Amino acid sequence: MSKRQEIVDTATRLFESNGFHAVGVDTIIAESKVAKMTMYRHFHKKNQLIVEVLNNREAYCAQSLAEYVNQHSSPIARIKSVFEWHENWFRNATFSGCMFAHAASEFNDDEDGIKSTAATQKARLKSYIEELLKHIVSPTEADRLSRLFIMLLDGATLTAQVMNQPEAAMEAWGLQKFYCASQLTLSEALEAFVLTNRYIELACFTDL
């Protein structure tokens, strides 16, 4: 492994666990076991390293997701597998939320292109889901639904992190199925989904 990649991998681990601002360059140098000169030869400043970390993480996640989705053949199964991939990620011991959302939050003024790099990842994921949906619905509907799916996945990611509920991804899949199959607004579908599942729970409890 190259020294540059060692720095990126170490920074990724530290940023993921502690956030971006909380981790100093000296800590990254010490953990990477590289000389300060080596660090600054590859990355002139910390923000440059952050952008590299985000780009590396996006490439890894995009490849991992595509490989998982490509194990399935039917259009519906491929869409569902996006949510399954997220649940697998949520159940990973190293899961600590979305690095891109954290970056956008910590660098709200788009310092050195950090926020725009995070936004690009969201846009590319949205485009990927949109292409999957085009095998099922019209291009216009695929655009609309892909935006909805991103919101559901972002919400599931936050729920998994804050509430320690890795099942949130598949619960989000259940909600979108209910919504897409109905002519309701999202808020109406959400209320109906909750009420329907509550009814099922009560019915099951009665049968016991």
Side-chain angles (χ1 to χ4, degrees), residues 40 52 60 64 68 87 89 95 104 117 125 128 136 154 185 199:
Y40 287 107
E52 181 82 358
Y60 170 80
S64 175
Y68 189 84
E87 178 163 327
W89 171 40
F95 172 72
T117 300
L125 179 57
Y128 178 73
I136 305 172
D154 282 346
T185 65
Y199 174 79

Side-chain angles (χ1 to χ4, degrees), residues 1-195:
M1 182 186 296
S2 69
K3 292 294 184 182
R4 181 185 181 92
Q5 194 58 50
E6 284 183 14
I7 294 169
V8 171
D9 289 349
T10 300
T12 299
R13 173 174 55 80
L14 293 171
F15 291 152
E16 197 168 37
S17 301
N18 306 290
F20 296 96
H21 288 311
V23 178
V25 172
D26 288 342
T27 301
I28 297 170
I29 291 171
E31 292 282 332
S32 302
K33 296 181 173 58
V34 298
K36 184 171 290 189
M37 184 180 297
T38 302
M39 164 67 84
Y40 287 107
R41 183 169 65 247
H42 292 291
F43 303 102
H44 301 305
K45 52 200 253 182
K46 179 181 169 182
N47 286 0
Q48 211 177 2
L49 174 57
I50 292 172
V51 170
E52 181 82 358
V53 164
L54 293 174
N55 285 330
N56 269 257
R57 173 53 62 89
E58 182 194 357
Y60 170 80
C61 289
Q63 180 180 346
S64 175
L65 177 60
E67 289 175 354
Y68 189 84
V69 170
N70 289 338
Q71 295 176 27
H72 304 81
S73 55
S74 76
I76 292 294
R78 286 168 68 82
I79 292 293
K80 182 181 179 182
S81 68
V82 173
F83 289 79
E84 292 173 343
W85 182 91
H86 277 78
E87 178 163 327
N88 291 338
W89 171 40
F90 297 164
R91 293 187 184 281
N92 191 292
T94 63
F95 172 72
S96 58
C98 177
M99 178 176 283
F100 304 97
H102 295 166
S105 175
E106 289 195 43
F107 297 91
N108 192 49
D109 60 355
D110 198 26
E111 185 177 351
D112 292 323
I114 293 174
K115 185 175 181 180
S116 59
T117 300
T120 296
Q121 183 272 337
K122 294 295 182 185
R124 286 176 177 161
L125 179 57
K126 187 261 183 193
S127 295
Y128 178 73
I129 294 173
E130 183 177 356
E131 289 303 312
L132 294 176
L133 286 165
K134 285 180 180 177
H135 293 280
I136 305 172
V137 297
S138 70
T140 300
E141 189 69 1
D143 173 60
R144 184 181 70 84
L145 287 176
S146 61
R147 284 185 275 112
L148 169 66
F149 281 22
I150 290 296
M151 287 189 286
L152 288 172
L153 289 169
D154 282 346
T157 302
L158 184 61
T159 299
Q161 178 190 4
V162 176
M163 304 297 291
N164 192 28
Q165 295 178 2
E167 66 276 11
M170 296 313 296
E171 289 177 349
W173 167 251
L175 172 58
Q176 71 77 26
K177 282 201 306 179
F178 193 95
Y179 171 56
C180 293
S182 72
Q183 298 299 314
L184 303 175
T185 65
L186 181 56
S187 59
E188 290 171 336
L190 177 60
E191 181 179 3
F193 178 78
V194 171
L195 290 174

